[in-house]
Structure formats: structure tokens, C-alpha cells
Amino acid sequence: MTVSQRPAVRPNNSHFSSGPCAKRPGWSVQALADAAIGRSHRAKLGKSKLGEVLDRSRAILGIPDDYLIGIVPASDTGAVEMALWSLLGERGVDILAWESFGDGWVTDVTKQLKLSDVRSFKAGYGQLPDLSQVDFDRDVVFTWNGTTSGVRVPNGDWIPDNRKGLVIADATSAVFAMDIAWKKTDVVTWSWQKVLGGEAAHGMLVLSPRAVARLESYKPAWPLPKIFRMTKGGKLIDGIFKGDTINTPSMLAVEDQIDALRWAEKIGGLKGLIARSEANLAALTAWVEKSSWAAFLAEDAKIRSCTSICLIIKAPFFGKLSDEDKTAAAKKIASLLDKEGIANDIGSYRDAPAGLRIWGGATVETSDIEKLTPWLDWAFAQVEAEFASKV
């Protein structure tokens, strides 16, 4: 078979989006049959289900007993914003950014909170900034895994145990797929819609004892919206971390998250989840190493994400195209595969270099990644035939 011929085998699941992500294998709406719909989330039943999400998350992830876990509004973005607005300003801030969301946190801190003592360390897509430059006497903000760049920190070894500042990690596309060094962090956030394929709009916020101490001892100079407030009268509103959510959660989404957590336990917990994600990266790596046209945006394998796997096009003709044609060619590959029902939503992020982004989180089957790769070659052949004549 030549790459211009349509492959015979199709992925069983075409959902390769980086968020909301694929549901767990075997999922059906029947998984939500026990949802506490039409009931108050503050009633005994609702609180028990919210508590189950917290308890199962802690157990699977190995979150320390003295760290608090809360369910908060507005997905990972809401969780990060709560942390930034509530905790920053007590001391200087170092922010690391190597993709769109990290850049967004830099903007929030400098232009919204208007903090003056801010140092930002940036790197281009596919790279990490120099982690050794960070001063941990200051507060530190970073993304554990760059969802739009496919770049992750290799581990938490670069973070000291005896830090004076707080470490705030946006880990939405890392939690449940990577080994988070909890004791190296003071705030960790994620959303349900990423690695476990949950429904959108709900965020998770983990606080260390040091973060709680900051909340109770420091009052920001700016007013806090109700949705961000975690203290009252200088004391932590601890109900937030016992299932008393700030606003009304979707009990359907809660039930869906419980189902995903139970599935995670059945496949071996965190080790099983990580193994599935790494197997997906390995399958794509085996294909990329033989590909004449595709390469990883992150050249260094040590910092390459196993969830948001970002590819660029290395074919000689592609490098000669205008920026507009590069974007159009990459989008055409994604649209062809979407139209065929092979892969949905795999275009690169709008601010990232033209290419593809394939989700490799734990809910994606490695066999589907392997079935996808011949179709990637097929779609590229169609695009090459159209665009190569432009150079």
C-alpha cells in the first residue's frame, strides 16, 4: 500500500482531542445512571458523592494526608486564578512560560494583579526555560505540562524542599498521567476534562499546609470576587475541601468523575494510568522515527509530553511555504481526518507552530494510536499533492 491509498483499518475511537478528552474505554451514558440529579449537592447524598471524588482522587494520586483537596468552579482556569489572586503579592514572583497558558498566567500577574516584582522566564514552543534560574525564596508559578506545546518538566527535582516561597503548578494535562512531586508543590490544579476524560467546568485545587498558612496570614491588596474567596475572618473556609463547593456543581459531571476514578482503580491506579499514557507516546514515537515528514515539536525526549503530543511537519516543501500556507496545510491534514471520522480535533493550538496535536492520555487506547498513524500518512500525502506545487 502506498501512502496515497486509503488505509483499510480505522481507529475504534476517533476522539484524540486535548480537551475535553476521550471518555474511558467502554464508557456509555449508563455510567451516569446513579447520578444524584434533581437533588441538592448539599444534601447527604450529594455531599457523599462529592466526598467520594475527593477521597478517590487523593488515594489514586498519593496526595499527602496534610494537603487539602477542593472542587472549585470554572475548570483548571478557575482553580489557577483562585490561587493567583488569593496567594500572590506577599513576596516577589517568578513565572515560567513555554506555551500559551503559561503566557496567560504572566499576563494575569503583571497586567491584572499589576504586581511589580515579577520575573518571567520564557522559552519558545518545544523548549523549556532554564529551570536553574528560578529563585525559590520567591513564589513560583509554572505549568507542569504545556498542553499547547507538548513540553513537560522532567520531574520535580529542580524544586528544593527548603523553599521560602510557594510553588504553584498548573498541572491540568499532567495529573493522572505523570508522577507529580506533591511535596515539592504548594498548589496544584487540574480539571476533570483532561486525563480522565471527565466533563468540563469543574476544577480541582490542592493546597499544602504552607499554602493554607499563607491564606490565613496574608490579605491581598485587591478585592476578591466571591468565587475566589477561600477564607473568612482570616480563617480558611474548610468546607470547600470537604465537598461544600462554592457554587452548584453538575451532579451528572460528578457521577461521571466517580466512574472515571473507579475505572482508574481497576486498571492499576496511577501506575496503570501513567503506563497507558507512556505507551501512547511510545507508539507515536515509533512512527515518528520512521516518518519522512513528521517530527516532534519537543526535540528533547526527556521533556516530551505523553499526553498533549505535538507534531510539526519537517517535509522540505513545507518549510518553503508562507506562514499562511503552512497553517492552511496543517489544518487540511486535520480536517481530512475529521471528515473521514478518523481523528477529531487534532489541529495544533492556534498560537502554536503549524502542525498536529494528538492526545495520548490514559483514556486513549494504544491500539487506536497505532491505527491512526497510517491515516496520518494518507492525509499528509493528499496535502503534499496540493501544496507542494506552491513552492
Side-chain angles (χ1 to χ4, degrees):
M1 184 188 77
T2 65
V3 293
S4 60
Q5 292 178 312
R6 188 186 306 272
V9 180
R10 306 164 64 90
N12 293 327
N13 190 342
S14 62
H15 297 170
F16 296 99
S17 166
S18 292
C21 301
K23 310 299 287 184
R24 64 159 175 85
W27 184 93
S28 75
V29 72
Q30 188 60 33
L32 309 181
D34 196 37
I37 54 175
R39 293 293 307 274
S40 170
H41 62 293
R42 303 192 188 284
K44 184 177 181 180
L45 177 61
K47 288 189 69 172
S48 69
K49 287 184 175 290
L50 290 162
E52 185 174 353
V53 170
L54 299 177
D55 293 343
R56 290 184 185 273
S57 297
R58 182 186 296 277
I60 292 170
L61 294 170
I63 298 173
D65 291 341
D66 57 348
Y67 279 48
L68 302 180
I69 315 174
I71 300 169
V72 300
S75 195
D76 176 67
T77 300
V80 175
E81 296 284 13
M82 285 180 72
L84 299 184
W85 285 72
S86 299
L87 293 166
L88 295 187
E90 191 261 358
R91 62 181 61 218
V93 183
D94 281 4
I95 308 182
L96 292 86
W98 57 88
E99 50 98 43
S100 298
F101 290 104
D103 279 340
W105 306 140
V106 173
T107 298
D108 279 6
V109 171
T110 57
K111 295 186 177 181
Q112 303 301 323
L113 296 179
K114 301 184 186 302
L115 297 183
S116 57
D117 187 7
V118 178
R119 304 192 309 169
S120 60
F121 302 97
K122 297 188 177 185
Y125 280 87
Q127 300 177 334
L128 271 182
D130 183 357
L131 302 180
S132 68
Q133 297 179 20
V134 178
D135 180 358
F136 288 94
D137 284 349
R138 302 159 64 85
D139 292 333
V140 177
V141 181
F142 73 101
T143 54
W144 196 282
N145 180 78
T147 310
T148 66
S149 68
V151 172
R152 57 177 163 180
V153 293
N155 49 52
D157 294 350
W158 56 287
I159 304 171
D161 293 328
N162 61 345
R163 59 193 179 275
K164 294 181 180 178
L166 299 180
V167 171
I168 300 173
D170 170 0
T172 192
S173 55
V175 171
F176 291 113
M178 302 172 195
D179 193 6
I180 306 298
W182 296 102
K183 286 294 188 178
K184 300 282 189 176
T185 63
D186 298 291
V187 179
V188 178
T189 67
W190 71 92
S191 70
W192 293 358
Q193 70 205 48
K194 292 295 184 183
V195 177
L196 292 186
E199 294 305 298
H202 298 78
M204 299 291 283
L205 177 68
V206 172
L207 301 179
S208 74
R210 299 176 70 249
V212 173
R214 171 78 65 84
L215 283 170
E216 294 185 334
S217 64
Y218 164 69
K219 184 177 181 180
W222 45 84
L224 287 177
K226 181 179 180 180
I227 204 169
F228 287 177
R229 294 175 204 157
M230 290 184 278
T231 60
K232 184 176 182 180
K235 293 296 182 182
L236 185 75
I237 304 173
D238 61 357
I240 296 172
F241 305 95
K242 297 178 180 178
D244 289 336
T245 55
I246 295 172
N247 67 343
T248 303
S250 163
M251 297 311 294
L252 278 173
V254 170
E255 195 67 26
D256 188 60
Q257 185 68 0
I258 291 171
D259 173 75
L261 290 164
R262 290 173 176 171
W263 168 77
E265 292 165 351
K266 290 178 182 177
I267 64 164
L270 183 60
K271 287 185 178 179
L273 294 166
I274 292 174
R276 287 177 63 90
S277 292
E278 291 291 351
N280 289 335
L281 174 60
L284 269 177
T285 299
W287 170 75
V288 167
E289 288 175 348
K290 298 176 182 178
S291 176
S292 63
W293 65 270
F296 288 109
L297 179 55
E299 294 183 8
D300 184 351
K302 295 190 297 294
I303 63 171
R304 193 175 295 155
S305 172
C306 63
T307 55
S308 52
I309 305 170
C310 296
L311 304 175
I312 55 173
I313 299 171
K314 67 179 183 181
F317 86 88
F318 188 83
K320 299 175 183 178
L321 295 174
S322 67
D323 288 343
E324 287 185 359
D325 282 341
K326 286 178 181 176
T327 298
K331 285 185 175 180
K332 185 67 176 290
I333 295 173
S335 66
L336 282 171
L337 294 170
D338 187 89
K339 185 177 180 180
E340 292 286 337
I342 298 300
N344 308 121
D345 313 316
I346 65 167
S348 59
Y349 191 74
R350 59 180 178 267
D351 296 330
L356 303 173
R357 180 172 58 158
I358 299 168
W359 184 252
T363 57
V364 174
E365 298 277 31
T366 302
S367 59
D368 280 336
I369 295 282
E370 294 168 341
K371 292 172 185 174
L372 170 64
T373 54
W375 284 94
L376 293 174
D377 289 328
W378 170 83
F380 173 76
Q382 317 311 306
V383 170
E384 182 179 30
E386 177 181 347
F387 282 85
S389 61
K390 295 192 175 192
V391 299

